[in-house]
Amino acid sequence: MDVSSPMVATDDAAEVRRNNSKSSLRWAALFLGELRDGLTMINMQSAFLIVSKQYTEKQVGILFFVFGMSQFLFQTPAGYLYDYTHQKLLWLSAASVATTILTVATALWAKEFGENLLLMVALKFVQGAVTSFIPPGLNSITQGIVGSVGMTEQVSLNEMMNHLGTAIIVLSGSLIAFFLYPDIGFLFVVSPIACLGVIFFLQRINAKDIDHAAARGLTSESHTGKESTASSSDYKPPSSNNSVGTSSKKDALTNKPSFVFGMNGATSHESKSTGLQPETPLQVLRDPTLLIFLVIVFLFHTANGTVLPLVMQTLAIGNGRSGILLSGLCIIVAQVFMVMSAKICGKYSAVYGRKMLFLIGFFSVPVRCLLLYGMLMMWEGQIQGNLFIQIVILSTQILDGIGAGTFGTMYILVTSDISGGTGRFSLILGMTTAAMSIGGTVSGYLGEALAEDLGYRTTFFILAIMSAVPALIYLTCMPETLPDLAKKQEPGSDKANIHSIKEEDEPSPETGSKARYIEMY
């Protein structure tokens, strides 16, 4: 009689369950396309408010500013929360429902010419806070299910589904707006439909499949459903005393203050199961690579955040019913190419490294802005009613799909690389997302103000110069975050086998360098 049979059967059942959870996660990402960071609906709302409610560009810019500032304030606390809570699915579901309610409220309560602008400002502040809990929630759950070693493939799949979902939802909303013009507020009915999809698939994810130590980056693999929770792939992050033993590490982790909000035992359980101690937030901030990356992320979004709304407005203003459809197509074209960009990043970023692909995304933005500048210089005053010119301008959104699509996937992977072994993945993701938010905030108001005062053509030229700065900084100052020895073989290579690499840095009393174990397929 084979005594190992029950154990094998248990492991097989656990693996089937985990695969079902991964599938549900992908489908949840599809419907989160409209809800994830709030920007898709904010862009649609800007077109709605300008065309249907006669808002000025500066009034819309104020709403962008407040929304982004709120995200900036709450992103890092949200990440800190997800590092500790075991109720990740509940928090993500609640945030999805809340942002949907606020989107519908905006459509219902907005008055013409911004008569109740203060109410809209309040709504956008609350919505910014709520949406800040969505990106770290989705990615924390992802890393908890697949571990950091599975992030490249799973993040790529999540992003592909996310962009595909955004394209489908925006297309639906744009068609509704086209047929109901000029009363286009009903287009936001797509938000509650998307929310229902998110809630349905999140509830299909088994909470037992989320390894909370892996979710925060303490271990490199998710051990849910496995006999042992300690393996050679566990990270060994630094402690305040390099000679500290396992038991004292457990005590240090257990005694750390945490935001568990009544969900007792989260920190204690991870301590007992891993014996690993996370870095403190101050230790995290000593990493120069992280600090450089935060600056780059901020500068990128300062330049890029306003380009899409300006292109949408260029096509929407003065073009009536067709303008609304064209502005929606701006998002759809970009999202379709973002799907392809995410797939390429997932397939090749572990082969050729993160940096090369990231640079392609960075440099696509100044090229895009210069093309828009040239087009407006040639055709200024001829856009309205000229379908050929409108389509040519719309085609520049292909570059948006390359730039933003690459960034959306790669910034999560680079953040996972940087945070490996710290036990602070969600916190660091909150920091990088906060840098995105504050950059997008500045960009939103700056772009709308420049467009109103200097015109769209000059604004695109200024943005081209601004967007070249983060690209050059990344080129010259940012290291390759994927270790050379951890690269995959080229797709189709016979050598693409599982391998493990231990990359250990000497402990530094100044920085507390972390020792990492990295496993790649």
Side-chain angles (χ1 to χ4, degrees):
M1 178 178 179
D2 187 358
V3 295
S4 66
S5 296
M7 184 181 298
V8 172
T10 301
D11 289 344
D12 289 344
E15 187 62 27
V16 170
R17 191 188 67 203
R18 287 181 70 246
N19 287 335
N20 289 337
S21 291
K22 287 164 66 175
S23 176
S24 296
L25 180 66
R26 290 195 293 270
W27 285 104
L30 177 80
F31 288 96
L32 273 171
E34 187 269 336
L35 305 173
R36 183 178 60 169
D37 55 14
L39 290 178
T40 300
M41 275 299 108
I42 285 290
N43 286 323
M44 292 295 287
Q45 287 171 31
S46 68
F48 161 70
L49 292 172
I50 288 175
V51 173
S52 190
K53 298 298 181 179
Q54 289 76 50
Y55 272 52
T56 67
E57 284 89 344
K58 283 186 178 179
Q59 286 175 322
V60 171
I62 290 172
L63 297 183
F64 261 101
F65 179 82
V66 171
F67 179 85
M69 279 301 298
S70 178
Q71 282 193 324
F72 169 70
L73 293 173
F74 287 94
Q75 287 283 7
T76 302
Y80 193 81
L81 167 69
Y82 279 112
D83 275 336
Y84 282 105
T85 182
H86 282 196
Q87 302 297 327
K88 294 176 174 64
L89 293 169
L90 176 62
W91 280 97
L92 181 56
S93 299
S96 300
V97 171
T99 190
T100 299
I101 293 171
L102 292 165
T103 294
V104 173
T106 300
L108 292 175
W109 296 344
K111 293 185 178 180
E112 292 184 351
F113 305 104
E115 290 181 12
N116 59 344
L117 184 62
L118 288 179
L119 175 60
M120 292 297 104
V121 167
L123 286 177
K124 292 307 111 182
F125 181 83
V126 176
Q127 189 168 20
V130 167
T131 56
S132 67
F133 284 82
I134 296 179
L138 175 64
N139 290 294
S140 179
I141 292 169
T142 300
Q143 185 153 294
I145 293 175
V146 304
S148 61
V149 296
M151 280 292 277
T152 299
E153 179 181 356
Q154 190 64 42
V155 167
S156 173
L157 289 171
N158 286 355
E159 290 296 308
M160 289 170 61
M161 296 294 280
N162 190 279
H163 295 309
L164 178 61
T166 300
I168 294 171
I169 291 166
V170 173
L171 176 61
S172 302
S174 298
L175 290 174
I176 291 171
F178 178 79
F179 289 111
L180 296 181
Y181 183 86
D183 187 15
I184 64 175
F186 193 71
L187 74 89
F188 296 109
V189 71
V190 297
S191 291
I193 293 174
C195 183
L196 289 174
V198 171
I199 300 302
F200 175 78
F201 285 106
L202 285 181
Q203 296 310 306
R204 292 175 63 87
I205 297 175
N206 194 318
K208 294 180 181 179
D209 292 328
I210 302 173
D211 184 324
H212 297 284
R216 64 187 298 182
L218 272 176
T219 59
S220 61
E221 285 187 305
S222 174
H223 299 293
T224 53
K226 296 183 180 180
E227 172 102 4
S228 172
T229 57
S231 73
S232 61
S233 65
D234 287 343
Y235 287 119
K236 292 183 172 60
S239 63
S240 57
N241 185 340
N242 291 325
S243 63
V244 173
T246 302
S247 62
S248 56
K249 278 187 177 184
K250 291 180 181 180
D251 293 338
L253 182 56
T254 302
N255 293 332
K256 275 188 172 295
S258 65
F259 283 3
V260 294
F261 290 96
M263 291 160 275
N264 295 324
T267 306
S268 176
H269 178 270
E270 287 160 18
S271 171
K272 292 177 181 178
S273 63
T274 66
L276 301 176
Q277 178 182 344
E279 291 186 357
T280 67
L282 287 179
Q283 283 178 310
V284 167
L285 288 172
R286 291 176 184 173
D287 187 347
T289 302
L290 172 61
L291 297 179
I292 293 171
F293 190 55
L294 289 174
V295 171
I296 292 170
V297 169
F298 167 75
L299 293 175
F300 175 81
H301 277 271
T302 301
N304 184 62
T306 193
V307 179
L308 172 59
L310 292 179
V311 174
M312 291 173 66
Q313 290 161 207
T314 299
L315 295 173
I317 295 174
N319 285 311
R321 184 193 301 265
S322 63
I324 289 294
L325 185 59
L326 285 168
S327 64
L329 286 173
C330 286
I331 298 176
I332 295 165
V333 170
Q335 294 295 328
V336 169
F337 281 87
M338 286 179 193
V339 173
M340 291 184 275
S341 296
K343 182 176 182 179
I344 290 171
C345 289
K347 188 173 182 179
Y348 294 107
S349 65
V351 178
Y352 302 110
R354 317 292 196 201
K355 189 168 184 175
M356 182 187 73
L357 289 170
F358 224 155
L359 284 173
I360 294 173
F362 277 122
F363 279 106
S364 69
V365 181
V367 172
R368 174 188 175 206
C369 290
L370 287 175
L371 286 173
L372 288 165
Y373 168 75
M375 290 174 185
L376 293 184
M377 184 170 60
M378 288 189 299
W379 297 322
E380 197 163 22
Q382 304 176 45
I383 298 175
Q384 296 181 14
N386 192 319
L387 184 60
F388 171 77
I389 295 176
Q390 292 168 357
I391 291 175
V392 173
I393 292 175
L394 179 64
S395 69
T396 62
Q397 285 303 105
I398 294 173
L399 290 173
D400 185 27
I402 295 172
T406 301
F407 187 96
T409 302
M410 297 305 299
Y411 102 91
I412 299 172
L413 297 179
V414 170
T415 300
S416 183
D417 295 340
I418 294 172
S419 66
T422 65
R424 299 291 183 183
F425 168 67
S426 294
L427 175 66
I428 295 175
L429 185 64
M431 291 179 182
T432 55
T433 311
M436 290 171 54
S437 298
I438 192 64
T441 298
V442 174
S443 183
Y445 184 76
L446 179 65
E448 297 291 354
L450 287 173
E452 188 170 326
D453 294 339
L454 302 178
Y456 285 78
R457 185 183 71 184
T458 303
T459 300
F460 284 126
F461 183 75
I462 294 171
L463 293 174
I465 296 172
M466 291 173 58
S467 60
V469 175
L472 292 172
I473 295 176
Y474 197 94
L475 175 65
T476 56
C477 301
M478 189 73 181
E480 172 58 65
T481 58
L482 180 69
D484 290 339
L485 293 176
K487 290 181 179 179
K488 288 183 182 178
Q489 299 294 330
E490 285 200 45
S493 170
D494 292 336
K495 298 181 180 180
N497 299 320
I498 297 176
H499 62 281
S500 296
I501 303 105
K502 175 182 175 183
E503 181 181 84
E504 181 169 351
D505 300 326
E506 290 297 324
S508 169
E510 292 81 19
T511 62
S513 299
K514 46 185 171 278
R516 297 175 179 172
Y517 284 77
I518 302 161
E519 292 190 356
M520 303 300 297
Y521 289 96

